[in-house]
Amino acid sequence: MTLAAQGLDTGDTAWLLAATALVLLMTPGLALFYGGMVRTKSVLNMLMMSFVSIALVTVVWLAAGYSLAFGEDAGAGLIGGLDHLGMAGIGPDSVQGTVPTLLFATFQLTFAIITAALISGAIADRAKFGAWLVFVPVWALLVYVPVAHWTWGPGGWILNRLGALDFAGGLPVEITSGASGLALCLVLGPRLGFKKDAMRPHNLPMVMLGAGLLWFGWFGFNAGSALGANGLAAAAFLNTLAAGCTGLLGWLFVEQKRDGHPTTLGAASGAVAGLVAITPSCGSVSLLGALVIGLTAGLVCSYAVSWKFKLNYDDSLDVVGVHLVGGVIGTVLIGVFAVSEMTGGTEGLLYGGGLTQLGKQLVAVAAVGTYAFAVTYGIAKLIDKTLGLRASEEQEQTGLDLTVHAETAYDHGVLGHGAPVGSSAHFPQKAKA
């Protein structure tokens, strides 16, 4: 049987190919976003934590992740089966809905990649790179894959039994990364000089560039989740743009009122907060709902990022304050703003749906947040006891770029051009001798 005979739609396929590329671009965008937010001595390490996540998660996903997340349910809606280990049984003629199954699997892979990379922002400046290489694949299999199955997989309990809605990843992406980031930074402890030394972003243009690439890629993330070139994709696309805008404006409003200065970091963070919140809800709410959800996230997250100073957890780049808090806002508010024109029947509190859907959304948020935090905490403790999770004090003070990667991001005179420590590139007079 040909692909066309099985229901393949070339327009849907073309759009999902583009959306997949857009979502993959988000991880390099995240690398720049995070890289600009750290100090000069840890820029390359931050970039590497994102880029290596692409390779690690891809291998894990193709080996077992896709089968466990999107294979037929193995029981109780908790995990998929093992029929597609190593992508077995999935060839170019396999179709998922109206697109090739291989494309659907690749699209979902890009979600898993950026979710793992997001966590790195919580532990910037102080985590062992070798420990990160172990953490990422283990976390992807034990945390991301089960939650993805619960939310989107065949028979997953959140969608099919509870009935909670999540269009593009508030639960598997935003809440798991935020809760996991909180667990990791608690195990690691605060950076040297936390709450004492200035730890300002070293390159705000890089932050803005990274935020722009994230925003651009987010259209593939959200509109691509319609899995077709259709009206739902168009609505999700517009909702994504709208929420990013009101998130940005909301954050700047708080900064102006509180600090007297609207900042570039605030603009970038506000846009991301709005985009985070609209991720689960972009396919369930009207344009008005998207505007309100984005604004709410911009306002609330601008305060949430300061909670770490009051509660003494060092979430270096505000993964908890933006992704966990923003993900909770967007997922819960589906129960308030959902409209039947988008959902096909389900309505939120403001549209006559009562408290039922709101209750379902709250249960899903609590379950996923608790699971992600608990399992991640256990993984982190195990790695810390065996390999050690935190870099040495000397490495942290000197900077992970030089001590781990033997490179520097910028030429400061003594070290230049990213050459390994001790090479003739640092001491040209030795090369001539």
Side-chain angles (χ1 to χ4, degrees), residues 336-361:
V336 177
F337 292 105
V339 294
S340 59
E341 293 84 357
M342 293 288 286
T343 64
T346 301
E347 292 183 319
L349 179 63
L350 290 184
Y351 295 90
L355 295 171
T356 301
Q357 192 62 39
L358 181 59
K360 293 176 179 179
Q361 300 301 127

Side-chain angles (χ1 to χ4, degrees), residues 14-389:
W15 163 235
L16 198 61
L17 282 165
T20 301
L22 285 170
V23 181
L24 184 59
L25 178 66
M26 292 177 73
T27 300
L30 179 73
L32 292 173
F33 183 68
Y34 279 172
M37 290 175 71
V38 296
R39 292 167 289 179
T40 55
K41 61 183 182 179
S42 296
V43 184
L44 299 179
N45 180 255
M46 205 70 252
L47 298 176
M48 281 287 284
M49 291 177 83
S50 284
F51 272 83
V52 79
S53 296
I54 299 176
L56 293 170
V57 176
T58 296
V59 172
V60 168
W61 187 257
L62 298 179
Y66 175 75
S67 184
L68 293 171
F70 290 96
E72 289 301 317
D73 186 62
L78 296 177
I79 198 70
L82 303 176
D83 293 343
H84 301 303
L85 290 180
M87 304 302 288
I90 303 175
D93 289 337
S94 300
V95 173
Q96 174 84 22
T98 60
V99 301
T101 305
L102 288 174
L103 175 57
F104 174 78
T106 307
F107 179 66
Q108 295 298 339
L109 162 62
T110 60
F111 281 58
I113 288 169
I114 194 169
T115 307
L118 282 169
I119 302 170
S120 66
I123 56 174
D125 290 330
R126 63 198 189 280
K128 282 186 177 179
F129 188 68
W132 179 249
L133 297 180
V134 175
F135 172 81
V136 168
V138 174
W139 181 89
L141 278 177
L142 297 185
V143 178
Y144 182 84
V145 164
V147 176
H149 182 76
W150 301 352
T151 310
W152 298 318
W157 73 269
I158 286 179
L159 175 62
N160 294 279
R161 303 187 184 204
L162 177 63
L165 300 178
D166 184 345
F167 190 74
L171 296 166
V173 178
E174 308 301 351
I175 291 175
T176 58
S177 63
S180 298
L182 177 61
L184 271 184
C185 68
L186 289 177
V187 173
L188 271 178
R191 289 166 290 179
L192 297 175
F194 177 61
K195 297 200 293 188
K196 297 178 182 177
D197 300 338
M199 298 181 181
R200 300 185 183 91
H202 89 282
N203 192 326
L204 287 168
M206 184 186 292
V207 173
M208 294 294 278
L209 175 60
L213 289 172
L214 283 169
W215 200 337
F216 180 66
W218 228 299
F219 294 119
F221 202 85
N222 288 357
S225 293
L227 302 179
N230 51 39
L232 182 58
F237 194 108
L238 180 57
N239 283 346
T240 300
L241 175 61
C245 292
T246 52
L248 184 155
L249 294 172
W251 195 299
L252 291 185
F253 174 80
V254 171
E255 283 193 325
Q256 179 65 45
K257 187 173 185 298
R258 181 185 59 199
D259 309 320
H261 304 284
T263 68
T264 53
L265 180 61
S269 299
V272 170
L275 294 165
V276 166
I278 200 60
T279 293
S281 52
C282 61
S284 302
V285 304
S286 66
L287 179 59
L288 175 62
L291 291 166
V292 175
I293 287 171
L295 180 63
T296 302
L299 295 172
V300 175
C301 291
S302 63
Y303 288 104
V305 295
S306 65
W307 294 349
K308 61 185 178 184
F309 299 110
K310 299 176 182 178
L311 301 177
N312 202 37
Y313 62 89
D314 186 9
D315 171 22
S316 306
L317 306 183
D318 301 320
V319 179
V320 177
V322 173
H323 293 276
L324 177 57
V325 175
V328 169
I329 289 170
T331 305
V332 169
L333 289 183
I334 291 173
V336 177
F337 292 105
V339 294
S340 59
E341 293 84 357
M342 293 288 286
T343 64
T346 301
E347 292 183 319
L349 179 63
L350 290 184
Y351 295 90
L355 295 171
T356 301
Q357 192 62 39
L358 181 59
K360 293 176 179 179
Q361 300 301 127
L362 288 168
V363 170
V365 165
V368 169
T370 301
Y371 176 81
F373 178 87
V375 176
T376 303
Y377 193 89
I379 296 170
K381 277 291 188 182
L382 181 60
I383 293 176
D384 193 39
K385 294 292 184 182
T386 53
L387 302 175
L389 190 59

